[in-house]
Amino acid sequence: MEIVPLGDSALIVRVRDRFEDAPDQTLTEVLRTFRRLQDAAIPGVIELAPAYTTVAVFFDPTIVANEGPEPDQALDWLTERVCAAPAPHIRGGRRRAAASPVRLVEIPVCYDPEFAFDLENVAHHAQISSREVVDIHSAAEYRVSCIGFVPGFPFLAGLPRKLATPRRATPRKEIPAGSVGIGGAQTGIYPLRSPGGWNLIGRTPVRLFDPEKSPPASLRTGDHVRFRAITREEFEIFPG
């Protein structure tokens, strides 16, 4: 495990070097480190952000400086606490990690041509029909690798290789909220209206980010996700 500064108020805890070699195992290890850092409740730490191979530790420099033995040793003090936190507790000579509940979230998606601007392109790249793209995409189970880019945007690992499609050469300036896209070997959902370069294959009526809720993002890192194909009519009458 490597710990390096990120500016003057954050640290990066690197858990693994690569994500692609073993994505599921890597994400599990990242989440284990994330939860142990949460449990450690280190003074001065104000936010933890898990990603593909790392956990970012954001802290209040003033609090950390007051906690450390000397102000100029504050970063060393914090690094030592962060280093100690991910070490598994040892009981009876065996290392055990606390099990965490797995959430499976079903998200309805309308793959109607009105929303699926790039469905034909994905089908052409995969050399299959548009119907097959929908069937394959909605049959797979995905896992949220991280949340980012815009608030609440889930990067979903587990896209069948057949559907992997390079991002668009020219990104769109505006993508409607709820758009479901494919970018390289991942799929994801745009929770807010924003620019983007992923290939759009559908849209969900589910609101994935609401700043008035706690937490504001519907999905979190580690969640399992399945898509359920719905009709245009079902999209229109979806509650909320």
Side-chain angles (χ1 to χ4, degrees):
M1 187 175 68
E2 178 187 16
I3 301 176
V4 295
L6 178 66
D8 60 359
S9 59
L11 297 174
I12 288 291
V13 181
R14 187 170 302 283
V15 180
R16 293 279 186 97
D17 289 328
R18 290 177 57 83
F19 179 80
E20 297 82 1
D21 297 343
D24 200 55
Q25 296 91 326
T26 299
L27 181 55
T28 297
E29 187 62 31
V30 166
L31 290 176
R32 185 179 294 119
T33 301
F34 167 70
R35 294 187 181 102
R36 285 177 180 145
L37 286 168
Q38 279 185 319
D39 293 342
I42 302 170
V45 171
I46 56 178
E47 186 177 359
L48 299 167
Y52 291 101
T53 60
T54 63
V55 179
V57 180
F58 297 90
F59 61 89
D60 184 323
T62 303
I63 295 176
V64 171
N66 291 334
E67 290 288 338
E70 298 292 339
D72 60 349
Q73 297 177 14
L75 199 57
D76 292 336
W77 175 86
L78 179 60
T79 301
E80 289 176 4
R81 297 301 183 282
V82 169
C83 252
H89 296 293
I90 299 176
R91 296 178 181 176
R94 297 181 62 185
R95 293 174 180 265
R96 294 183 181 178
S100 56
V102 175
R103 290 205 315 166
L104 176 59
V105 182
E106 183 182 81
I107 297 179
V109 177
C110 179
Y111 296 93
D112 190 87
E114 181 183 349
F115 303 138
F117 307 143
D118 303 309
L119 183 58
E120 290 293 338
N121 292 338
V122 173
H124 178 75
H125 185 268
Q127 298 184 338
I128 57 178
S129 68
S130 297
R131 181 69 256 173
E132 288 176 294
V133 171
V134 173
D135 291 343
I136 294 172
H137 186 264
S138 58
E141 184 171 307
Y142 305 91
R143 197 175 184 195
V144 181
S145 299
C146 63
I147 303 290
F149 167 55
V150 294
F153 186 103
F155 289 84
L156 304 175
L159 180 72
R161 292 185 180 181
K162 187 74 173 176
L163 299 186
T165 309
R167 301 183 187 193
R168 291 170 49 86
T170 304
R172 291 185 172 91
K173 294 181 179 179
E174 190 173 276
I175 290 178
S179 295
V180 177
I182 291 175
Q186 298 181 101
T187 188
I189 309 167
Y190 289 83
L192 305 171
R193 186 180 297 273
S194 66
W198 288 28
N199 302 280
L200 306 183
I201 62 170
R203 193 178 302 173
T204 178
V206 175
R207 188 177 182 183
L208 293 182
F209 184 82
D210 185 346
E212 296 184 359
K213 291 184 177 180
S214 181
S218 300
L219 296 175
R220 61 190 183 215
T221 303
D223 282 348
H224 290 248
V225 173
R226 293 189 69 95
F227 294 116
R228 175 172 60 87
I230 60 174
T231 65
R232 185 68 176 78
E233 291 72 22
E234 290 174 304
F235 181 94
E236 286 297 332
I237 64 174
F238 190 84

